[in-house]
Amino acid sequence: MIPLLLIHLIKIACVIGVMLGIVAYTVLAERKICAWMQDRIGPNRVGPFGLLQPVADGLKFIFKEDVLPHHVNKVYFTLAPMIAMIPALITIAVVPWGSQLVIPSVSHDPIPGVIANLNVGILFVFAISSLGVYGIVLAGWSSNSKYPFLGGIRSSAQMISYEVCLGLSVVPVFMQVGSLNLMKVVEYQAQHTWLGFTQPLSCFIFLVSAFAETNRLPFDLPEAEQELVGGYHTEYSSMKFAMFFLGEYAAMFMASALMATLFFGGWSLPFAPFNAPAQTLTVGLIHIGIFLAKVCGFLFFFIWVRWTIPRFRYDQLMTLGWKIFIPLTLLNILISGVVLAVITK
Amino acid sequence: METIFWILSAITVLGALFAIMLRNLVHCVLSLILFFLGIAGHYFLLRADFLGAVQILIYVGAVAVLMLFAIMLTRHVTGDEGPREVLGGKWWAGMGTAIIIAGLLWAIIRKDQLAQILPAGGAQTSMVEIGKAMVTDWVVPFEAMAVLLTAALIGAVVIALEEVIRRR
């Protein structure tokens, strides 16, 4: 028997390890896929097929000189990349990776496939991920120069706007499920149908807003190389820059995990034995595999879109968020409410 | 639990003090954020998960970002220039506030009402209960709040429109 605390620590270590591993390889995947899409080969020098490229990149970042420009506010300048990185690592705690793991030699009760089974799950995710904007705003402000500042201002306006869309777009999902607990959301989908099919509008708006929240193309206005010279991280170098980079990809991972969990069944597949909590260890591990496969699918989608669609103009971004998505989400909530009232009657 | 309570209280009080005492406005807002987070921590400690999450989402995630946003667009955020004056001679305003707050606290503590409202194990309320309470017992205050917020929203639009018209 292993004490419960140790089980929790092992789970946290596994989740963070796997997540950061996937994040590192997403960077490689991004470079490879963009190369293929542009009819190039991509990184292929380090290791077989360039598979050791992330290791080389990491070492390079660590050994590079850490430039601290004299005009920056040193405390916030150092703090900002940390803040940018942390929210994605915290919020992954409430996302169920699998149903449960039954290991009798380790614990009597099945081990749940989620670190923290919070009742306010999704609200917690939104609350913590809304802190991510501070990393970018502080980076822009503390850099104390024009372009990072403009990038920071743009970013905070963009992220606040799309947070509203993101929050409102998932309301119909929870009206249908009747709980904010992500574990329950997945179990509902395992028993009934994937919410992506019953709430297509929610799903679409959530997906687009997630692109905006993670600052990915076509919403990468905070960076906008051509106008802002890289935006908020212009002044950053070495590992501090790498942390912004990792933060962006970790946020992408988190957004993909939420897409999979909320709209595409999380760890479940719509047939036995994958549509019910696992009774054996093998099925439990396969559930985790299914979840990770779905997440990787969405990560691929993120990369695919980035190298396909050009950037929005700033006014288009704001029009889309405030004049199109917010009315649509409100309408969606109204329609879902009426339909649910009629059905349950 | 008690240790966590004291740590959180220290963070909250220090955050509140720094928010009014520091000179650089950006530092002030960041201290205010610390204060908001401390309050959210207290909510979590009381098992009011929903309230805690909403506190972070609304105050830290939106209100404080807007404050920071507005302050960064202004000049002279460092507060280095000019003499430093506390209350600016309006000591009676400070005294009045202190008396009102002391009176409220005294009334609350004396009547021990919080202990009656909250069950012993903390307020483990589900969202379903909160939702039901909002549209049954508390529907009038709820609607009044909605009207107030709508009025504020329309007011903001009117002010912004005046600006646009004046520019033309």
Side-chain angles (χ1 to χ4, degrees):
Chain A
M1 292 295 130
I2 299 177
L4 201 60
L5 184 67
L6 195 62
I7 293 178
H8 278 305
L9 286 179
I10 293 171
K11 268 201 312 199
I12 292 172
C14 288
V15 163
I16 300 273
V18 172
M19 183 176 172
L20 288 182
I22 291 180
V23 162
Y25 275 90
T26 311
V27 179
L28 177 66
E30 170 119 55
R31 294 174 67 182
K32 276 281 190 191
I33 291 167
C34 107
W36 290 330
M37 290 178 78
Q38 298 168 347
D39 204 11
R40 296 184 284 118
I41 294 174
N44 67 345
R45 294 287 113 179
V46 193
F49 309 108
L51 279 178
L52 294 178
Q53 187 69 39
V55 182
D57 283 347
L59 283 175
K60 188 190 83 173
F61 274 127
I62 290 170
F63 286 118
K64 253 191 163 179
E65 185 193 355
D66 186 17
V67 181
L68 199 65
H70 67 92
H71 54 78
V72 302
N73 185 324
K74 290 192 179 54
V75 177
Y76 297 135
F77 191 76
T78 317
L79 197 64
M82 303 181 197
I83 299 178
M85 172 107 200
I86 284 171
L89 295 183
I90 298 182
T91 45
I92 198 71
V94 295
V95 174
W97 282 46
S99 49
Q100 55 190 22
L101 293 175
V102 185
I103 315 174
S105 60
V106 173
S107 133
H108 289 298
D109 305 320
I111 304 167
V114 55
I115 295 175
N117 197 6
L118 283 189
N119 275 327
V120 290
I122 192 68
L123 217 54
F124 177 81
V125 173
F126 286 147
I128 300 294
S129 56
S130 71
L131 304 184
V133 66
Y134 284 107
I136 292 172
V137 171
L138 283 181
W141 182 74
S142 69
S143 291
N144 214 354
S145 60
K146 261 180 245 157
Y147 293 121
F149 182 71
L150 284 174
I153 291 288
R154 270 192 188 185
S155 168
S156 49
Q158 174 180 330
M159 287 176 93
I160 294 172
S161 309
Y162 279 86
E163 234 161 57
V164 181
C165 300
L166 207 63
L168 285 175
S169 70
V170 292
V171 170
V173 169
F174 299 106
M175 284 161 71
Q176 195 180 339
V177 177
S179 170
L180 286 181
N181 187 324
L182 290 175
M183 206 74 179
K184 297 233 171 74
V185 172
V186 177
E187 272 161 27
Y188 177 90
Q189 294 181 79
Q191 285 158 12
H192 300 81
T193 170
W194 287 4
L195 289 163
F197 298 120
T198 52
Q199 303 285 358
L201 190 61
S202 280
C203 180
F204 176 71
I205 294 177
F206 185 87
L207 182 68
V208 178
S209 305
F211 272 88
E213 280 290 294
T214 48
N215 289 331
R216 293 281 296 183
L217 265 170
F219 296 97
D220 74 333
L221 285 110
E223 289 176 34
E225 293 90 344
Q226 292 85 348
E227 332 162 13
L228 292 182
V229 212
Y232 57 90
H233 53 51
T234 303
E235 306 283 351
Y236 281 89
S237 57
S238 165
M239 206 56 207
K240 290 206 189 79
F241 172 75
M243 280 175 83
F244 276 118
F245 210 66
L246 286 180
E248 182 186 320
Y249 281 90
M252 247 167 83
F253 182 94
M254 189 56 210
S256 305
L258 277 183
M259 274 303 288
T261 306
L262 291 175
F263 298 105
F264 293 91
W267 44 258
S268 70
L269 281 181
F271 51 84
F274 303 118
N275 57 1
Q279 299 309 321
T280 61
L281 181 59
T282 326
V283 178
L285 289 175
I286 292 174
H287 277 160
I288 295 178
I290 292 170
F291 171 75
L292 286 179
K294 285 175 182 171
V295 169
C296 289
F298 281 109
L299 282 174
F300 171 73
F301 185 71
F302 265 90
I303 295 169
W304 186 16
V305 168
R306 169 165 180 185
W307 297 100
T308 310
I309 302 177
R311 184 181 301 136
F312 280 119
R313 235 174 30 228
Y314 195 70
D315 59 321
Q316 290 172 330
L317 172 98
M318 284 297 162
T319 312
L320 183 71
W322 289 102
K323 292 188 186 162
I324 298 177
F325 276 178
I326 289 184
L328 267 183
T329 49
L330 291 175
L331 191 69
N332 196 18
I333 293 172
L334 182 71
I335 292 172
S336 302
V338 171
V339 170
L340 280 175
V342 169
I343 289 175
T344 48
K345 211 175 176 185
Chain B
M1 284 304 235
E2 197 128 306
T3 329
I4 300 175
F5 171 81
W6 286 114
I7 294 172
L8 278 175
S9 302
I11 292 174
T12 312
V13 172
L14 282 181
L17 280 178
F18 283 141
I20 54 171
M21 284 164 68
L22 291 177
R23 303 225 61 190
N24 188 326
L25 283 176
V26 174
H27 296 217
C28 290
V29 176
L30 292 174
S31 310
L32 195 65
I33 290 166
L34 204 63
F35 165 74
F36 287 148
L37 286 175
I39 293 287
H42 276 299
Y43 287 146
F44 282 120
L45 206 60
L46 288 168
R47 305 266 178 94
D49 296 359
F50 176 73
L51 213 53
V54 168
Q55 164 88 7
I56 297 181
L57 186 65
I58 305 286
Y59 284 97
V60 187
V63 173
V65 173
L66 284 179
M67 283 183 183
L68 212 56
F69 191 82
I71 286 172
M72 281 179 183
L73 287 176
T74 56
R75 283 163 151 211
H76 309 304
V77 292
T78 49
D80 291 332
E81 57 282 295
R84 177 174 194 161
E85 47 182 36
V86 179
L87 288 174
K90 296 191 183 71
W91 57 270
W92 45 269
M95 286 296 282
T97 316
I99 290 171
I100 290 171
I101 288 179
L104 279 174
L105 279 177
W106 183 69
I108 291 170
I109 293 168
R110 197 181 59 115
K111 288 191 89 177
D112 209 11
Q113 259 184 342
L114 283 181
Q116 287 166 18
I117 295 168
L118 296 177
Q124 180 86 56
T125 38
S126 71
M127 285 200 56
V128 178
E129 286 166 47
I130 294 174
K132 274 185 185 150
M134 258 185 190
V135 290
T136 52
D137 295 351
W138 304 96
V139 67
V140 176
F142 179 66
E143 290 296 326
M145 288 291 256
V147 171
L148 185 71
L149 288 176
T150 313
L153 207 62
I154 293 171
V157 170
V158 168
I159 292 171
L161 264 185
E162 266 174 16
E163 186 99 337
V164 171
I165 292 166
R166 205 166 349 123
R167 224 179 282 160
R168 279 181 195 153

